[in-house]
Amino acid sequence: MINNHSKNNHNNKNSQINKNNIPGRPAKSNVTAHNEHSVDTRELALEMLIEINERGAFSHIVLRSVLDKYQYLSKQDRAFMTRLVDGTIEYMLQLDYIIDSFSKTKVRKMKPFIRNLLRMSVYQIKYMDAVPDSAVCNEAVKLAKRHKFAQLSGFVNGVLRNIARNIDSVQFDTLSIRYSMPQWIVDRFVAAYGEKKAEEIFKAFHNKSTISIRTNLTRCTPDELRATLEAEGVTVTAVDELNYAFVISGFDYLNSLESFRNGLFYVQDVSSMMVAEYAKPEHGDHVIDVCAAPGGKSTHIAELLNGSGFVEARDLTDYKVSLIEENIKRHGLSNMGAVCMDATVFDEASVEKADILICDLPCSGLGVLGRKKDIRYKMTEQSLDGLAELQKEILDTVHTYVRKGKKLISVLLAVLMAVTGIIPAAIGTSMPAALARFSKS
């Protein structure tokens, strides 16, 4: 479950945030204009939760936007705010269950502001032991009054104090509530793995996630990167599988690290790094990645090509292409470019152009629920099932882009295949024709 953090001086309650800056929406950073303003971190967290839960924004985008804007906040305040948002989202179904157990008005019928205020307050009561329950209740009441919900402040206070007195008596009898997982996801995992294994997987999703990085070998050696990071006060742990990969911790945020800004490393899961290892690019190879954003696999391959060949990183929207371009620039790669292209639309000019074709097929994200905690609430059974046809369509369209006898690497999480049956049910029908092209003559 979630580790407890200390609370010292988590909130500053003297002024409200600037309402013109809605979390999750792109805005120019204006840090210096806010340096002299105090910020209520609970209020910021609540604004983010409303943006995510009520307006459909993605949690990682909202958090990144706000943390970038409020860089002047202390490391402690930023950590408190991040944990409050992440934890509330991670345990939202469980928090709703607790609230519904003590409130006559059910969560789904509450005003959006009130239900998210109660959610984040109950999270503090249950999972943040160093935060006094009285402080949680008092701050929630102040926020309700500040946002013109004074008539509901008594309701907020009563529900929270009742929960605080009885929180240890609440029992979670189902996997769905215990691990805050929609029932349809539970049903699919249980069907694929059995109840015992499914519970182990759900429990692992709640383990604290780590940040793994890949050395940009065109700019430094792994030893040089490690020394640089340690000089910046970062805790660095080696990854056994890859000598250029590390797990890092103990820093405030990535952009505070000069080594990150200078492109000395890329944040990437080890499993994702293995794609380039499997691809084994050779000097001068032409590589096409048809679903490339934000560019981790593509930049890795470009680095391994050591300035030779070319990596063509494609994706569907200008925004996604801009993410790839940002990483190309930060890593200083001259043998890589980004192109806005729809992978489902056949491109005659690409036929037999690639020595390596990377198809990182769109997926549900169910395999990374531990890192992207809001995916479970945004995904539906219908949208998950629809992915099978999209994945099949992409492979049907692009498999001729690779030269005969060369490499097509299709990336799809094993956990997704087991839960959805996508590969055997849909993509498998595309593979015989595609695979026939890859047998060496």
Side-chain angles (χ1 to χ4, degrees):
M1 306 297 271
I2 295 180
N3 295 324
N4 291 318
H5 291 226
S6 60
K7 180 200 88 162
N8 302 325
N9 299 319
H10 284 314
N11 57 332
N12 233 325
K13 304 180 283 293
N14 297 326
S15 66
Q16 288 181 263
I17 62 171
N18 186 341
K19 299 301 179 185
N20 293 322
N21 300 307
I22 300 175
R25 294 184 183 175
K28 290 184 179 179
S29 176
N30 194 19
V31 172
T32 54
H34 290 268
N35 272 338
E36 297 178 0
H37 294 183
S38 57
V39 173
D40 185 333
T41 52
R42 282 187 175 87
E43 187 170 26
L44 267 180
L46 180 57
E47 291 271 342
M48 286 190 275
L49 288 169
I50 292 172
E51 189 77 5
I52 295 161
N53 295 332
E54 308 299 335
R55 300 169 188 158
F58 288 100
S59 60
H60 66 287
I61 294 176
V62 174
L63 262 170
R64 183 176 62 206
S65 174
V66 171
L67 292 176
D68 284 348
K69 183 173 182 59
Y70 294 94
Q71 293 179 21
Y72 60 87
L73 290 175
S74 69
K75 180 179 179 180
Q76 190 175 49
D77 280 344
R78 292 160 58 84
F80 172 80
M81 189 165 60
T82 300
R83 186 188 170 198
L84 186 52
V85 172
D86 273 346
T88 300
I89 294 170
E90 183 174 21
Y91 282 96
M92 190 161 66
L93 293 185
Q94 186 186 105
L95 300 174
D96 287 357
Y97 176 82
I98 295 171
I99 295 167
D100 282 347
S101 298
F102 293 91
S103 171
K104 291 182 179 178
T105 303
K106 301 308 176 186
V107 169
R108 68 180 182 278
K109 293 186 177 180
M110 293 177 183
K111 295 182 182 297
F113 180 92
I114 296 298
R115 67 167 156 256
N116 286 287
L117 175 60
L118 289 177
R119 283 168 173 165
M120 78 173 197
S121 299
V122 174
Y123 177 78
Q124 293 170 79
I125 290 171
K126 181 160 180 62
Y127 289 109
M128 300 180 77
D129 290 347
V131 184
D133 293 344
S134 57
V136 175
C137 298
N138 291 340
E139 294 305 316
V141 168
K142 289 178 183 179
L143 280 172
K145 290 179 177 179
R146 190 183 303 168
H147 285 262
K148 305 186 187 307
F149 288 100
Q151 75 278 13
L152 292 174
S153 61
F155 166 77
V156 169
N157 186 55
V159 170
L160 290 179
R161 291 191 184 278
N162 195 10
I163 290 173
R165 285 192 298 268
N166 298 284
I167 191 68
D168 292 335
S169 67
V170 181
Q171 301 295 316
F172 309 124
D173 297 327
T174 68
L175 291 179
S176 176
I177 299 303
R178 193 177 307 147
Y179 297 103
S180 198
M181 202 68 62
Q183 187 61 51
W184 72 268
I185 295 179
V186 172
D187 292 341
R188 292 217 176 190
F189 271 82
V190 170
Y193 296 105
E195 186 169 343
K196 182 179 179 181
K197 185 65 175 179
E199 182 165 13
E200 290 175 2
I201 294 171
F202 296 148
K203 190 178 295 184
F205 285 148
H206 287 288
N207 291 338
K208 185 178 180 180
S209 58
T210 58
I211 297 176
S212 55
I213 63 169
R214 185 192 79 236
T215 307
N216 181 354
L217 297 173
T218 67
R219 293 197 166 178
C220 62
T221 67
D223 287 343
E224 289 169 340
L225 175 61
R226 180 168 196 153
T228 300
L229 287 167
E230 289 177 343
E232 293 177 296
V234 179
T235 300
V236 184
T237 305
V239 172
D240 292 338
E241 297 93 330
L242 300 168
N243 62 7
Y244 52 76
F246 300 101
V247 172
I248 60 172
S249 60
F251 59 94
D252 187 0
Y253 60 102
L254 283 171
N255 274 325
S256 69
L257 301 176
E258 186 176 0
S259 54
F260 176 76
R261 298 194 302 271
N262 290 341
L264 300 189
F265 67 88
Y266 189 95
V267 177
Q268 188 176 19
D269 284 345
V270 173
S271 59
S272 181
M273 298 180 204
M274 295 306 297
V275 172
E277 290 290 322
Y278 295 143
K280 290 183 170 57
E282 299 176 359
H283 184 85
D285 273 352
H286 189 94
V287 181
I288 297 176
D289 186 344
V290 295
C291 303
K297 301 175 186 67
S298 300
T299 56
H300 192 184
I301 291 175
E303 290 168 15
L304 293 178
L305 284 170
N306 198 26
S308 73
F310 193 77
V311 178
E312 189 177 337
R314 304 174 176 179
D315 221 306
L316 182 61
T317 66
D318 289 334
Y319 171 70
K320 289 187 174 183
V321 170
S322 72
L323 295 179
I324 302 170
E325 289 173 337
E326 178 184 330
N327 282 312
I328 293 173
K329 181 178 180 181
R330 190 165 59 82
H331 285 255
L333 297 168
S334 60
N335 62 335
M336 179 174 170
V339 184
C340 188
M341 293 184 72
D342 185 345
T344 65
V345 177
F346 181 70
D347 177 41
E348 181 70 35
S350 297
V351 174
E352 296 196 11
K353 183 179 181 181
D355 297 294
I356 300 173
L357 177 64
I358 306 293
C359 302
D360 190 355
L361 299 171
C363 70
S364 66
L366 291 181
V368 291
L369 287 174
R371 286 191 294 105
K372 298 183 178 180
K373 305 179 192 308
D374 54 333
I375 287 177
R376 69 193 76 182
Y377 311 119
K378 299 182 186 299
M379 178 61 60
T380 66
E381 282 193 274
Q382 293 74 25
S383 58
L384 181 64
D385 292 337
L387 280 172
E389 285 305 313
L390 174 60
Q391 292 165 340
K392 177 180 180 296
E393 183 179 6
I394 290 174
L395 273 183
D396 278 342
T397 302
V398 306
H399 73 265
T400 58
Y401 297 173
V402 68
R403 294 172 184 165
K404 186 176 181 181
K406 295 296 184 177
K407 304 167 187 173
L408 183 154
I409 299 178
S410 176
V411 183
L412 194 65
L413 287 171
V415 67
L416 179 65
M417 291 188 282
V419 171
T420 64
I422 283 177
I423 287 292
I427 294 178
T429 63
S430 303
M431 294 309 288
L435 290 173
R437 300 183 48 78
F438 310 140
S439 57
K440 294 183 181 290
S441 57

